[in-house]
Amino acid sequence: MKFRRMSFILCMLLFFVSSISAYAAQCELGVSLGEKGAGIELSIHKVSDIEDGEYVWLQEYKGANVDLSKVTTAAQMKDAAEKLYKWSVDKNIQPGQHGTTGADGSVSFSVSSGVYVIAKVSERGTMPPVLLILPEDQLETYIMISPKFSDSD
């Protein structure tokens, strides 16, 4: 009887610990375009996982021909984001999430560690795709980014 009780307690403890660690691997990503960016639809594509500090491409992006390990400058990040977004459009890869900015020009997504491309889907305004790299050891509860957005074309 004592062994069963201990087994039950250990199973419950493992369940709660695994639930907590799975929850801790998620964070909220806020994207703010400013008040002029109200009503803009954005998409977010996860393109790669990060495992033990290494990029592991999701199956759909394995042929995209982008070497993330060599991305060190803002210009290289912009180029990688544009290539990856173009790849997703050309290959008709559906984004993981869509969201429309509210009256304040912001929208939130739930993300885990990995590499993401955030892009404007709406016709109005201009915003280049954004590459976002979220290593697991640097996830916060809430992350806010403010990509460049212009309401004129």
Side-chain angles (χ1 to χ4, degrees), residues 9-25:
I9 291 170
L10 283 174
C11 286
M12 293 304 292
L13 182 61
L14 285 173
F15 172 77
F16 286 120
V17 168
S18 65
S19 296
I20 290 169
S21 64
Y23 177 75

Side-chain angles (χ1 to χ4, degrees), residues 65-150:
N65 199 26
V66 174
D67 187 354
L68 294 173
S69 66
K70 294 184 179 177
V71 173
T72 58
T73 67
Q76 291 169 331
M77 286 188 84
K78 181 180 177 196
D79 185 50
E82 289 171 352
K83 284 180 181 177
L84 290 166
Y85 183 65
K86 183 178 181 330
W87 177 269
S88 67
V89 170
D90 290 349
K91 299 295 181 182
N92 199 28
I93 301 169
Q94 296 302 308
Q97 299 177 58
H98 279 281
T100 302
T101 59
D104 65 349
S106 65
V107 64
S108 293
F109 300 98
S110 178
V111 295
S112 58
S113 70
V115 179
Y116 296 86
V117 174
I118 302 162
K120 179 184 71 70
V121 179
S122 299
E123 294 293 321
R124 192 183 104 224
T126 57
M127 183 190 103
V130 176
L131 184 69
L132 182 65
I133 300 173
L134 295 173
E136 189 170 69
D137 62 344
Q138 294 181 10
L139 284 182
E140 302 290 330
T141 305
Y142 185 78
I143 298 170
M144 174 62 84
I145 65 168
S146 298
K148 291 183 181 179
F149 173 78
S150 173

